Amino acid sequence: MTTDHEPAPADGFAALAEYVRTFRAEGYRVDKVVQPVCGECGHRAFEVCLDDDEGVVRRTCARCGTSAYIADGADFLEEAELGMCECPGCGGTEFEIGVGFSLHPDREVRWISVGLRCVTDGTVGVYADWKINYGPSAHLLDHC
């Protein structure tokens, strides 16, 4: 489920993480926000394709082109129709990503929210969120 997008101060990931925390998909508190980093080159800006209905988000490093799926997205790729994300403010396609996790008391993942911050104009928004209906699921925290 997407939400309204709004300009954010130019303080990078901190602004994005705060936005994801206050989004509270389905009313669930966000317990942890993780910033993905390219495993090949360490860059933190990505082009993003997603299908919010299927809970599939693919990030592609803007520097080296390495792609990875967030959480368990690759498991649902067969059903997904991915669309490229664009900033509603400037049309940019490079984003910092903040993956918010709502956790059950036993630290298993309940809900995932994926926020993006345009590196060009700082506009932030939550572009996808989905419920995790299985366990164990704590391993998803390591797949951003």
Side-chain angles (χ1 to χ4, degrees), residues 19-92:
Y19 189 87
V20 171
R21 280 187 193 94
T22 61
F23 179 71
R24 297 178 61 100
E26 297 295 311
Y28 295 119
R29 179 185 77 243
V30 173
D31 300 292
K32 182 173 185 173
V33 180
V34 176
Q35 182 177 27
V37 176
C38 177
E40 291 296 315
C41 72
H43 198 56
R44 296 174 189 263
F46 302 91
E47 291 184 342
V48 179
C49 293
L50 61 82
D51 181 332
D52 184 33
D53 293 332
E54 296 300 326
V56 177
V57 178
R58 182 182 69 215
R59 60 176 176 85
T60 302
C61 179
R63 180 181 289 158
C64 74
T66 299
S67 292
Y69 290 91
I70 291 176
D72 58 358
D75 296 343
F76 301 97
L77 191 54
E78 189 173 301
E79 304 291 320
E81 293 183 30
L82 300 179
M84 177 74 108
C85 293
E86 289 185 4
C87 173
C90 72

Side-chain angles (χ1 to χ4, degrees), residues 84-100:
M84 177 74 108
C85 293
E86 289 185 4
C87 173
C90 72
T93 59
E94 289 186 24
F95 301 92
E96 287 182 291
I97 303 171
V99 183

